[in-house]
């Protein structure tokens, strides 16, 4: 006697559709997760430049010191921010010497924009008064430093990041130190240079001053 019951096709080792579909979905999810992780890492990456790729350029905006004769004629001169001048240095030693002739106060502050390598920045920071805390200097010269805002006794540190000009998924770091009578910005990249330049143009347009 022959049975009329037909055996169903075996799913084991035969490339069953359900198993393949689940395996394909799992593999696709893994690929998507991997790609998203790589993208996040690219967006979080910092543009690092070798010291020889960072030409030193120091811009100082402020008012020159009054001569002894001017002080005698007018002991309490009225602050005129329209007389602010811009000094440009390429030698850090000349910058340090030049700062001795720049007057800054709450009514007439000074802005120093420093573009240089980490070693040069550390050297310049040693001559800045009030003193910059060692942790701040470390944050400024560490490429991996995250965005932050920290308050110290004599100043406020702000670290921001902006998209690189040449690398879409990479960023550059801009450090801003706000003292009572001085603003100091430090960076090494072209994108940050653009940000600083735009800030300068807005100050001139809205407030007719070069230094905030």
């Amino acid at each position: 006697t022959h049975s009329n019951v037909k055996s169903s096709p075996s799913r084991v080792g035969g490339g069953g559709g359900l198993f393949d579909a689940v395996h394909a979905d799992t593999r696709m999810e893994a690929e998507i997760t991997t790609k998203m992780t790589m993208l996040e890492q690219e967006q979080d990456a910092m543009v690092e430049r070798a010291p020889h790729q960072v030409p030193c350029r120091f811009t100082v905006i402020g008012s020159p010191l009054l001569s002894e004769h001017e002080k005698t004629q007018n002991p309490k001169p009225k602050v005129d921010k329209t007389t602010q001048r811009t000094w440009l240095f390429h030698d850090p030693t000349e910058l340090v010497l030049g700062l001795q002739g720049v007057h800054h106060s709450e009514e007439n502050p000074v802005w120093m924009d420093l573009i240089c390598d980490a070693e040069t920045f550390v050297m310049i920071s040693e001559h800045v008064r009030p003193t910059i805390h060692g942790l701040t200097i470390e944050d400024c010269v560490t490429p991996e430093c995250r965005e932050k805002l920290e308050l110290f006794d004599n100043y406020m540190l702000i670290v921001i990041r902006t998209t690189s000009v040449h690398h879409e998924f990479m960023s550059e770091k801009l450090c801003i130190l706000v003292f009572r009578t001085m603003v100091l910005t430090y960076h090494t990249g072209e994108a940050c240079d653009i940000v600083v330049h735009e800030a300068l143009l807005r100050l001139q347009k809205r407030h007719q001053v070069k230094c905030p």
Side-chain angles (χ1 to χ4, degrees), residues 60-84:
V60 181
I61 301 174
S63 299
L65 286 174
L66 296 176
S67 65
E68 293 300 325
H69 176 71
E70 291 172 323
K71 291 179 181 179
T72 304
Q73 295 294 323
N74 192 357
K76 295 183 179 180
K78 183 179 179 181
V79 176
D80 182 8
K81 291 187 177 182
T82 60
T83 62
Q84 289 178 338

Side-chain angles (χ1 to χ4, degrees), residues 93-138:
T93 303
E94 292 181 357
L95 168 67
V96 173
L97 293 175
L99 289 177
Q100 299 175 8
V102 178
H103 169 69
H104 55 98
S105 62
E106 292 186 25
E107 295 78 16
N108 209 353
V110 65
W111 179 1
M112 290 196 301
D113 181 48
L114 310 180
I115 303 176
C116 58
D117 58 272
E119 184 177 350
T120 302
F121 174 78
V122 172
M123 186 274 288
I124 294 174
S125 64
E126 295 175 350
H127 297 274
V128 174
R129 296 293 181 272
T131 305
I132 301 177
H133 196 284
L135 292 177
T136 297
I137 296 175
E138 182 179 351

